[in-house]
Amino acid sequence: MTPRTTPSSGSEPENTAEQSAEKTSVAKRATTKAAEAAEAVQKGTAKKATAKKAGQKKTAAKKTAATKAPAKKAAAEKTVAKKAVTKKATAKTAVSKATASKAATSKAAAKATASKSAAGKATGSKDSGAKDTTTKKAAKRIPAQKAAQKKIPAQKAVPRPAEPVEVAVSPALDAGDRDRLLAGTHHDPHAVLGAHPVPGGVAFRAFRPYALSVTVVAGSLRAELHDDGEGFFSGLLPLREVPAGYRLLVEYEGTVQETEDAYRLLPALGELDLHLIGEGRHEELWRALGAEPMTHQGVTGTRFTVWAPNARGVSLAGTFNFWDGTGYPMRSLGGTGVWELFVPGIGEGELYKFEITRPDGTKTLRADPMARRTEAPPNTSSVVYASRHEWGDAQWLARRGSVPTHAAPFSVYEVHLASWRPGLTYRQLAEQLPAYVKDLGFTHVELMPAAEHPFGGSWGYQVTGFYAPTARLGTPDDFKYLVDALHQAGIGVLMDWVPAHFPRDDWALAEFDGRPLYEHEDPLKSAHPDWGTLEFDFGRREVRNFLVANALYWCEEFHIDGLRVDAVASMLYLDYSREPGQWVPNEHGGRENLDAVAFLQEMNATVYRRVPGVVTIAEESTAWDGVTRPTHVAGPGGFGGLGFGLKWNMGWMHDSLEYMAKEPVHRKYHHNEMTFSMVYAYSENYVLPISHDEVVHGKRSLVSKMPGDWWQQRANLRAYLAFMWAHPGKQLLFMGQEFAQGAEWSEAHGPDWWLLDPAYGAEPDHRGVRDLVRDLNTVYRHTPALWQRDTDPSGFQWVVGDAADDNVFAFLRFDAERAPLLAVSNLSPVVRDDYRLGVPDDIPAWHETLNTDAARYGGGDVVNPDPLKPEPQPWHGRPASIRLTLPPLATVWLRPA
């Protein structure tokens, strides 16, 4: 086959001269209207010349017109005669050219084709004289033919071989490009669609399925393109360059749309972005991928970009094209696996997905992994979004990093937003949640995952929209409004973040482009055995980039003050919940997931570097060394620290709850469960968590875990909370436990707020526990001894830790100035009068600052109303001692008087 003139020129070449001539004829018919319009544009431009020059050109044009037709006719007759003599054949009509061409050599065939073309043009010129009697189709040929005749003078010496001339090509797409566009497998649609200079002018091509017509509009230029079938339109305009800012007028049944041509625009994603994406180091990935409303090359619209390196093709589908992505193919940008399309006229609120052609040729419709807004479940579309929220929390951000978290008060109220007060939106929550939390004295709230998730019963821990707040409660700006309101109330905002795994929904991340992409390609490493989900491939740099940038996104764009990273243990160990034979050791033969370790270190280092004042918190339930150690400091195992700021103390939580669940008569046999935590209390920076996980799935609520009757249950709960607040470490309490809710938490109806209704008979019991929580936080915030040295062993001393028979625990906490607080817990149901405790001898007197048995909390009001003066009797290894009354099932805090 004869090769094409240019990669983008015309339809597929043919083997015969007749077919070539027919192809040229079709091209001329397709561009007739375009030529007329272009000629009009050129005439309009000529008017800018002087009147004299215009007159000269007009005169010359008349002379040329007077002589052009006879000359062409004569040239055509001479050419036919020449052919007849050369081939020694009987002269026939011009229709017999094909026979002559078949008998000639390839060189002679080329000459015959050229002569035949000239003859055809001359004949057309002669026929054009009868304009009034010709059909509409014949009339359309005239301008295109005239444009072609201007090149004939190059063949003046008819007897001699003609010089090579530039032959106009067909603007129509070749079969290969058409097929790939229709199949959704074209990697570079911009190279064939849009406007492109070609021999003979500028080729305009559009792919508009279901359109009735497409017209190019540029100033006074108005050229209707030829309908090539299957939604393709093309035309060749005799222009010297692509007209700037041309538009398309697209007619559909019942409507006409005027729009910019998306395929005339350069990529809207820069080379630096692509380079950083390729390296896996784009720390603002959300600014490069996803849907970004913007103005590009003076055109307003939205840039769509997606990472899908295994895809054979990607198209954009949405409400703007009736969810048919055929006419919106995206282009592949280099070897990064990124596909891009800037769509003019598309703005905020439009729904969209990516239509991906898998390696096997099948198609899948996927939500945008980088979508910053989504539809509310069960709908799954992504939504074009641009933020307009104006922040008012500058003062909070300026001071939040002034004191390190581990050396500051840190008391956390954990909240599931959708069920805290069911039915409230983000903005409605902003009117109620900050006031409630501030009244109780918590320093922070921790939001269970706010990112979009399809199944409400997962509580947000199976995320599909990692960059979008759940649309159940409002828009991303509404969520920002809530965070802003909390900050302005002086409350920090932590958020649960889930980088360990994701669900298998076929519209989300699983095998996103037809092959394992975000998940590991090895099923032994990708399938999570506990939750039926897929684990991220932490060894792939683009996946690490996706997650690291996501952590930064929440902190920078939503002003989140900290991330509690979920399920860290499942990430760290290759054999997590796996039996022998179900996991593959690392390169050193060990069970550590080295890729996950590297990811967590990178994430923590990057977040702390870019967003000063934030804190990262690990939910990690094993004895992994160095969870809160800096990443550059290696531990005994040879690993650098993971770099977290805090770690949940799961051991303390399990041990202490197990102790409290025992009947007091049996507690002396489990005394060590309350003291063992101090053996490792300073190995990490700890948070003491009573989280949602401890009050669901048959575990019972916190008060219901306690033994005894209703009075004893509440007394045990109050004593336990005060013991927890005094213990080294930060505090976290899940919603509903602050007022002794008896039922387990359910995401369907949330806390039982009716227990605080004054009309309810037992309301004082529940209100009393909530009042205690308020006072615990108040005293806590104003007593540096309870938080200033949480991670320093010098901030804690046991007074008595071995009084198992008495069920008594007593210890001292110290602040940086050595000012003490004495905490004493009597976890037996008997009053202990004149109980002697050893104390420092430099404190002249102690007074009771908090007693969980006080009547206002619902207790028996066994208190120590008077100051307690030390006696010079040594006790518990100290030079002095005090005697006090210990209430039953209660904790007492004492401070220097």
Side-chain angles (χ1 to χ4, degrees):
M1 293 176 63
T2 306
R4 292 183 296 173
T5 306
T6 66
S8 61
S9 63
S11 58
E12 217 168 294
E14 303 292 344
N15 289 325
T16 65
E18 291 88 342
Q19 291 169 322
S20 178
E22 177 63 22
K23 182 170 124 183
T24 303
S25 178
V26 171
K28 287 185 285 186
R29 290 196 300 271
T31 57
T32 300
K33 287 190 176 182
E36 289 176 338
E39 190 172 336
V41 172
Q42 292 170 351
K43 289 179 179 179
T45 304
K47 290 179 181 179
K48 295 179 182 179
T50 61
K52 181 179 179 180
K53 290 183 178 180
Q56 292 173 347
K57 289 182 180 179
K58 185 174 180 182
T59 303
K62 290 180 179 179
K63 292 180 179 179
T64 301
T67 59
K68 189 179 291 183
K72 289 179 181 176
K73 182 176 180 182
E77 291 173 352
K78 289 181 180 180
T79 300
V80 174
K82 174 71 175 180
K83 288 184 196 174
V85 173
T86 302
K87 299 182 184 299
K88 298 181 180 180
T90 304
K92 296 184 179 180
T93 63
V95 182
S96 67
K97 293 173 188 175
T99 304
S101 177
K102 291 179 182 178
T105 62
S106 58
K107 183 174 181 180
K111 293 179 181 178
T113 302
S115 301
K116 180 173 58 178
S117 176
K121 291 175 184 176
T123 304
S125 179
K126 181 178 179 180
D127 293 341
S128 65
K131 291 183 180 180
D132 295 336
T133 59
T134 55
T135 64
K136 183 178 180 181
K137 182 175 180 180
K140 284 185 178 179
R141 298 179 186 173
I142 299 169
Q145 291 162 352
K146 287 184 178 180
Q149 289 166 0
K150 294 179 181 179
K151 298 175 183 177
I152 293 179
Q155 301 178 358
K156 290 180 180 179
V158 177
R160 300 178 62 186
E163 295 293 328
V165 297
E166 188 180 63
V167 179
V169 299
S170 169
L173 287 176
D174 65 28
D177 286 325
R178 285 174 64 109
D179 290 345
R180 281 184 289 160
L181 286 169
L182 289 169
T185 59
H186 207 297
H187 276 68
D188 193 8
H190 292 70
V192 295
L193 298 178
H196 301 275
V198 297
V202 175
F204 289 83
R205 305 185 187 99
F207 184 31
R208 296 281 174 163
Y210 314 113
L212 301 179
S213 67
V214 176
T215 302
V216 175
V217 178
S220 60
L221 170 64
R222 192 180 184 89
E224 182 177 338
L225 302 183
H226 180 263
D227 187 346
D228 299 327
E230 297 183 292
F232 293 96
F233 297 83
S234 65
L236 179 62
L237 274 66
L239 302 174
R240 294 181 179 178
E241 58 185 18
V242 176
Y246 74 86
R247 298 172 65 83
L248 298 179
L249 202 64
V250 186
E251 180 185 0
Y252 296 97
E253 186 173 353
T255 184
V256 177
Q257 298 178 356
E258 183 173 350
T259 180
E260 299 281 352
D261 186 356
Y263 295 93
R264 74 172 178 84
L265 302 173
L266 296 172
L269 192 64
E271 291 295 328
L272 178 59
D273 289 309
L274 292 173
H275 174 74
L276 292 174
I277 291 170
E279 284 192 336
R281 289 295 302 166
H282 203 307
E283 295 178 356
E284 296 182 353
L285 190 64
W286 66 93
R287 302 187 190 280
L289 297 182
E292 182 72 20
M294 62 193 305
T295 299
H296 176 53
Q297 293 183 236
V299 179
T300 301
T302 298
R303 181 196 66 200
F304 295 89
T305 46
V306 64
W307 178 60
N310 298 312
R312 291 179 60 190
V314 181
S315 299
L316 184 67
T319 49
F320 43 87
N321 59 14
F322 302 98
W323 296 102
D324 184 352
T326 308
Y328 286 72
M330 304 175 73
R331 62 179 148 200
S332 177
L333 299 179
T336 60
V338 175
W339 300 75
E340 179 266 351
L341 178 64
F342 179 86
V343 183
I346 297 300
E348 296 177 55
E350 291 283 1
L351 307 183
Y352 71 96
K353 283 187 177 181
F354 295 113
E355 187 176 272
I356 296 174
T357 303
R358 301 184 180 103
D360 64 0
T362 61
K363 294 182 183 295
T364 178
L365 198 61
R366 298 291 176 132
D368 184 358
M370 301 291 299
R372 296 189 284 282
R373 183 181 173 189
T374 66
E375 280 191 294
N379 297 324
T380 59
S381 296
S382 305
V383 184
V384 178
Y385 157 78
S387 178
R388 284 175 168 72
H389 179 74
E390 295 183 5
W391 290 94
D393 61 351
Q395 292 184 356
W396 168 266
L397 296 179
R399 69 172 185 268
R400 72 176 177 182
S402 58
V403 179
T405 302
H406 62 271
F410 195 87
S411 176
V412 183
Y413 182 63
E414 187 185 22
V415 178
H416 181 254
L417 286 176
S419 67
W420 183 70
R421 288 185 177 166
L424 298 187
T425 65
Y426 290 130
R427 290 185 179 269
Q428 291 169 335
L429 283 165
E431 302 303 319
Q432 299 185 32
L433 182 61
Y436 183 81
V437 175
K438 186 175 182 178
D439 175 64
L440 291 182
F442 287 98
T443 64
H444 291 73
V445 294
E446 180 176 314
L447 309 179
M448 292 170 67
E452 192 59 87
H453 51 283
F455 176 47
S458 74
W459 312 330
Y461 291 97
Q462 294 191 9
V463 180
T464 52
F466 282 81
Y467 284 78
T470 179
R472 291 171 173 86
L473 308 181
T475 69
D477 274 6
D478 294 338
F479 182 66
K480 290 181 178 181
Y481 183 85
L482 171 60
V483 175
D484 207 349
L486 286 162
H487 283 171
Q488 292 182 48
I491 300 164
V493 182
L494 312 175
M495 190 183 80
D496 283 7
W497 184 54
V498 193
H501 62 116
F502 57 91
R504 296 174 179 265
D505 298 77
D506 61 5
W507 50 267
L509 297 183
E511 293 191 351
F512 181 75
D513 58 3
R515 290 178 182 165
L517 186 65
Y518 289 92
E519 68 272 35
H520 202 284
E521 61 183 359
D522 183 352
L524 292 179
K525 294 183 178 181
S526 64
H528 199 291
D530 288 347
W531 304 311
T533 53
L534 296 170
E535 298 184 25
F536 281 102
D537 182 1
F538 302 110
R540 185 161 190 168
R541 61 180 181 271
E542 296 95 343
V543 174
R544 287 202 311 272
N545 192 176
F546 173 81
L547 293 171
V548 171
N550 186 238
L552 292 171
Y553 173 73
W554 290 106
C555 294
E556 294 187 7
E557 293 294 318
F558 291 90
H559 293 192
I560 297 297
D561 302 295
L563 299 172
R564 199 280 300 195
V565 183
D566 182 65
V568 172
S570 73
M571 301 165 65
L572 292 176
Y573 298 98
L574 295 169
D575 62 346
Y576 184 87
S577 290
R578 292 176 171 89
E579 299 297 327
Q582 295 181 334
W583 62 282
V584 180
N586 63 33
E587 60 193 60
H588 305 296
R591 56 198 286 257
E592 300 85 5
N593 188 333
L594 303 181
D595 291 333
V597 171
F599 157 68
L600 291 171
Q601 290 176 326
E602 180 183 349
M603 181 276 297
N604 281 313
T606 306
V607 167
Y608 280 114
R609 170 173 54 82
R610 284 189 57 120
V611 198
V614 302
V615 61
T616 58
I617 307 167
E619 185 216 9
E620 205 283 312
S621 56
T622 73
W624 183 280
D625 176 59
V627 172
T628 58
R629 190 171 60 240
T631 58
H632 63 278
V633 179
F639 291 105
L642 295 182
F644 285 95
L646 297 168
K647 172 185 173 177
W648 274 19
N649 194 334
M650 310 292 282
W652 171 89
M653 179 269 297
H654 285 297
D655 290 346
S656 61
L657 288 178
E658 187 173 344
Y659 175 90
M660 294 301 299
K662 299 289 192 296
E663 290 287 346
V665 69
H666 301 301
R667 284 175 175 171
K668 64 180 180 180
Y669 303 109
H670 302 272
H671 195 77
N672 66 305
E673 292 178 354
M674 293 291 274
T675 60
F676 180 67
S677 60
M678 290 311 302
V679 173
Y680 60 87
Y682 301 104
S683 62
E684 303 280 4
N685 305 332
Y686 283 116
V687 175
L688 310 180
I690 300 299
S691 72
H692 63 278
D693 278 329
E694 310 316 314
V695 296
V696 291
H697 299 325
K699 294 180 181 179
R700 297 174 295 174
S701 70
L702 191 55
V703 71
S704 297
K705 295 177 188 289
M706 306 300 167
D709 58 21
W710 176 234
W711 189 95
Q712 290 178 324
Q713 284 183 312
R714 288 183 292 117
N716 273 300
L717 173 60
R718 294 192 304 266
Y720 179 69
L721 290 175
F723 174 84
M724 170 183 172
W725 253 250
H727 190 284
K730 311 306 181 183
Q731 296 78 39
L732 178 140
L733 187 66
F734 183 60
M735 65 182 192
Q737 311 316 301
E738 78 274 14
F739 57 83
Q741 174 176 311
E744 287 187 349
W745 168 65
S746 168
E747 79 279 357
H749 58 73
D752 292 333
W753 296 107
W754 57 270
L755 296 172
L756 297 171
D757 186 345
Y760 174 58
E763 182 267 343
D765 298 342
H766 298 280
R767 186 183 69 246
V769 175
R770 189 173 68 170
D771 290 344
L772 170 66
V773 171
R774 180 188 296 109
D775 290 350
L776 285 173
N777 279 323
T778 300
V779 176
Y780 171 78
R781 295 182 76 160
H782 293 89
T783 308
L786 291 173
W787 45 263
Q788 202 167 54
R789 291 190 172 184
D790 268 336
T791 60
D792 185 348
S794 66
F796 177 91
Q797 289 181 8
W798 278 113
V799 172
V800 55
D802 56 359
D805 290 339
D806 299 336
N807 294 347
V808 171
F809 306 87
F811 52 84
L812 289 163
R813 297 294 307 278
F814 299 96
D815 66 15
E817 305 299 326
R818 298 299 293 175
L821 177 138
L822 175 61
V824 187
S825 296
N826 175 25
L827 300 178
S828 66
V830 298
V831 178
R832 300 194 182 278
D833 295 313
D834 291 331
Y835 199 85
R836 188 176 292 275
L837 293 171
V839 294
D841 60 357
D842 58 348
I843 304 297
W846 298 80
H847 75 90
E848 192 175 83
T849 189
L850 184 140
N851 186 326
T852 64
D853 194 53
R856 66 181 179 275
Y857 304 140
D861 210 29
V862 177
V863 297
N864 296 275
D866 300 322
L868 302 171
K869 296 183 179 181
E871 300 174 359
Q873 182 175 352
W875 206 260
H876 294 139
R878 297 180 183 277
S881 59
I882 59 174
R883 289 182 299 162
L884 70 163
T885 299
L886 297 182
L889 301 175
T891 294
V892 177
W893 289 357
L894 300 105
R895 296 175 63 185

